Amino acid sequence: MVEGSTSPGPDAAVTVQRTQDAVRQLFDRCVEAIDLLQREVETLRQEEVEVGHVGTQAEGLRSRLEAQASALQRELHFLKARSDESQTVSVPRTVLNKPVRVFMDGAFDIMHYGHMNAFRLGRALGDELYVGVNSDETITACKAPPIMNDRERQAAVAACRFVT
């Protein structure tokens, strides 16, 4: 939660609750699928002992089931991590019935994933994201002459969907 802000509005709380419910349902389905696959693998192993050998078709099925179980366990681990993240993130959407405005500034010379991710995270903190682009003179004084000129950098920032 951002300092000085109140709790998220009712719409944000409903959205977070729906997301958490969807993750829980998917988590439960993954657990059920893993259990089913593990039972199938165990059945195949028992049949192998009883018969003394397993045909290539049964062996292929067993290896596919084990691969699916492994993939589902990885997905389950990922969902648990995402579920934990969604429960700890509290995003303010309004403060005193006013939109939350976020501001950030920078050089943004040669746009890359790090810039876009910063914009995405900044936008997640509020309803509107405003981005200031430092001038050529300021960048030259602090770093080195920029590769892109002012207008190119401004256009690159304005093209980002997270920026208001």
Side-chain angles (χ1 to χ4, degrees):
M1 178 85 65
V2 175
E3 272 187 49
S5 67
T6 61
S7 63
D11 293 339
V14 169
T15 301
V16 168
Q17 185 61 44
R18 285 182 184 160
T19 302
Q20 289 173 344
D21 291 343
V23 168
R24 283 188 197 105
Q25 290 173 355
L26 189 55
F27 176 83
D28 292 341
R29 285 195 305 256
C30 284
V31 168
E32 290 171 8
I34 288 170
D35 290 342
L36 175 67
L37 288 172
Q38 287 175 338
R39 285 194 301 272
E40 290 292 328
V41 168
E42 188 56 37
T43 301
L44 285 173
R45 285 188 179 138
Q46 289 173 356
E47 289 174 2
E48 180 179 351
V49 170
E50 291 171 6
V51 174
H53 72 284
V54 175
T56 56
Q57 186 176 16
E59 184 63 35
L61 176 60
R62 184 175 80 176
S63 64
R64 285 194 306 273
L65 288 173
E66 287 174 343
Q68 288 176 351
S70 176
L72 282 171
Q73 285 176 334
R74 285 192 304 274
E75 186 174 348
L76 183 60
H77 177 71
F78 173 75
L79 288 173
K80 283 181 184 178
R82 289 293 296 231
S83 176
D84 292 344
E85 288 174 11
S86 68
Q87 291 174 5
T88 59
V89 174
S90 180
V91 179
R93 283 294 171 213
T94 57
V95 176
L96 302 175
N97 296 324
K98 295 181 182 178
V100 175
R101 295 181 180 105
V102 178
F103 175 80
M104 66 172 48
D105 71 336
F108 307 114
D109 195 22
I110 305 181
M111 287 296 252
H112 56 79
Y113 174 79
H115 293 133
M116 296 301 167
N117 195 41
F119 296 157
R120 181 183 63 84
L121 294 172
R123 180 62 179 262
L125 294 174
D127 299 308
E128 301 170 359
L129 174 65
Y130 294 92
V131 178
V133 179
N134 294 340
S135 68
D136 289 342
E137 296 80 25
T138 313
I139 297 169
T140 302
C142 294
K143 297 179 179 184
I147 295 171
M148 298 169 65
N149 66 37
D150 281 337
R151 287 188 183 180
E152 291 170 331
R153 287 181 285 124
Q154 290 168 359
V157 169
C160 179
R161 67 181 182 152
F162 302 111
V163 177
T164 301

